[in-house]
Amino acid sequence: MHTTPGFPTLRIVSHPLVQHKLSILRDSETPTKIFKELVDEIAMLMAYEATSDLPLEDAAVSTPLERTIGRRVSGKKLTLVPILRAGLGMVEGIYRLVPGARVGHIGLYRDHDTLEPVDYYFKVPGDAPERDFFVLDPMLATGGSAAAAVASLKRAGATRIRFMCLVAAPEGVRRLASEHPDVIVYCAALDRELNEHGYILPGLGDAGDRLFGTR
Ligand code: PRP
Ligand code: URA
């Protein structure tokens, strides 16, 4: 995982397996089934890196031979919050790593003309101040959806929020950093720019459509 100059909130997961799988994901010939599997796998590999700073505490454990002191994750309880719909594709892979996590949902879609997010659903656990949130969405484009999702979590009382995406545009990282400088962003790639329709270049196209076959 590395940082990049000019983007203080960004962490790029440069693991070779993540980079290899991302290239297959970008390929326009990759079919829906493989696309879905890859999003799941990349999310899991990214979560492995993004959780490397979780605090640990000692915990007594009895092996078949004797009692010893092991280690277990301590601190705030984890909550995964996919932004509907494309974020859903990232949940299961991460959940396999942290099966104790809760899952909230934020429904947002980007208006095709204004590119501004329109919200239609919000449900997270009631004890938000006690939780560590990972907001999930494969694409950070203008940053409007991510910034709106983070703002709604903060209104619900969340104080510790990270954002995980697969592909980020510089514009989106900057907007999220200016509105929410406390939110660390994990991505697999920082792409070049947005096109006039707000799509990331080179990107991977419409993540939701490619995940669910609605292209
Ligand atoms: C896509 C993507 C993000 C958003 C990113 O969702 O999954 O949520 O666009 O764009 P932004 O950074 O410019 O806000 P979309 O609006 O296509 O909805 P969908 O997942 O339901 O297809
Ligand atoms: N949403 C997507 O799914 N893809 C993009 O490139 C931008 C926004």
Side-chain angles (χ1 to χ4, degrees):
M1 193 155 62
H2 67 267
T3 55
T4 191
F7 298 91
T9 61
L10 189 65
R11 307 287 181 271
I12 301 177
V13 178
S14 45
H15 192 289
L17 289 177
V18 169
Q19 296 304 314
H20 177 91
K21 290 173 191 292
L22 178 64
S23 294
I24 305 172
L25 203 62
R26 288 187 192 276
D27 188 337
S28 59
E29 298 295 314
T30 297
T32 299
K33 177 176 184 292
I34 307 292
F35 191 93
K36 201 163 180 292
E37 290 169 2
L38 287 167
V39 170
D40 175 272
E41 290 170 6
I42 295 171
M44 181 171 68
L45 292 167
M46 290 183 67
Y48 177 75
E49 299 243 23
T51 52
S52 63
D53 62 352
L54 289 183
L56 288 170
E57 64 186 9
D58 288 347
V61 57
S62 298
T63 79
L65 301 174
E66 62 178 34
R67 274 182 79 73
T68 186
I69 301 295
R71 312 274 279 153
R72 72 174 172 215
V73 172
S74 63
K76 299 202 174 206
K77 295 169 274 186
L78 293 187
T79 306
L80 312 178
V81 184
I83 299 180
L84 308 179
R85 53 192 169 137
L88 288 172
M90 299 173 69
V91 173
E92 285 307 314
I94 303 175
Y95 195 71
R96 283 201 294 280
L97 287 187
V98 280
R102 295 290 167 86
V103 182
H105 295 86
I106 295 180
L108 288 174
Y109 69 88
R110 203 170 67 150
D111 182 279
H112 279 292
D113 299 320
T114 65
L115 298 185
E116 283 304 311
V118 181
D119 65 296
Y120 59 89
Y121 190 75
F122 182 85
K123 184 77 179 176
V124 298
D127 55 349
E130 313 307 322
R131 297 190 157 271
D132 256 337
F133 287 90
F134 278 87
V135 179
L136 312 175
D137 194 324
M139 310 306 281
L140 178 60
T142 66
S145 304
V150 169
S152 61
L153 279 178
K154 287 183 175 175
R155 280 196 296 276
T159 56
R160 292 171 52 86
I161 304 170
R162 313 189 212 196
F163 186 83
M164 193 184 297
C165 60
L166 305 189
V167 181
E171 295 89 332
V173 181
R174 285 196 198 98
R175 174 164 176 185
L176 192 56
S178 83
E179 294 186 28
H180 302 287
D182 53 310
V183 173
I184 296 294
V185 175
Y186 301 88
C187 73
L190 177 64
D191 275 12
R192 194 178 69 246
E193 61 184 348
L194 297 178
N195 71 10
E196 66 276 23
H197 305 294
Y199 276 83
I200 301 176
L201 298 174
L204 49 75
D206 187 306
D209 281 349
R210 294 196 65 189
L211 257 176
F212 297 108
T214 46
R215 203 165 6 161

